[in-house]
Amino acid sequence: MTKPAPIEDVPIGGEGIRLGQFLKFAGLLDSGGDVKEAVIGGHVAVNGEVDRRRGRQLMIGDIVSFDGRRVRVRP
């Protein structure tokens, strides 16, 4: 059984951020085009569930998973 990746905390300096912005801010993806492709393609999960909305509002404590990495939204 594969051990899940450790969770990396990424401070956003506020209360919330959109999923697409967070993917770039956290260094999970480099460009808006890559973000769009990954999210629409179902390769991004929020709190363990696939989410296909780039504009989804993330809140403090949400965990975003992509390509074997997991990052948590922090203030």
Side-chain angles (χ1 to χ4, degrees):
M1 185 171 182
T2 304
K3 185 177 178 180
I7 299 172
E8 175 186 345
D9 288 333
V10 176
I12 61 169
E15 294 296 315
I17 190 170
R18 286 190 210 92
L19 177 58
Q21 292 173 317
F22 184 72
L23 288 166
K24 290 191 296 183
F25 185 75
L28 295 174
L29 290 159
D30 294 327
S31 74
D34 292 340
V35 167
K36 181 178 180 179
E37 190 175 306
V39 172
I40 291 174
H43 305 290
V44 177
V46 178
N47 299 325
E49 296 181 16
V50 171
D51 199 315
R52 289 185 162 92
R53 299 171 292 153
R54 287 178 295 154
R56 177 197 172 138
Q57 187 70 26
L58 299 176
M59 304 306 285
I60 302 302
D62 283 342
I63 297 173
V64 177
S65 304
F66 174 74
D67 196 29
R69 287 183 60 197
R70 297 188 308 159
V71 292
R72 181 175 22 235
V73 180
R74 287 291 180 209

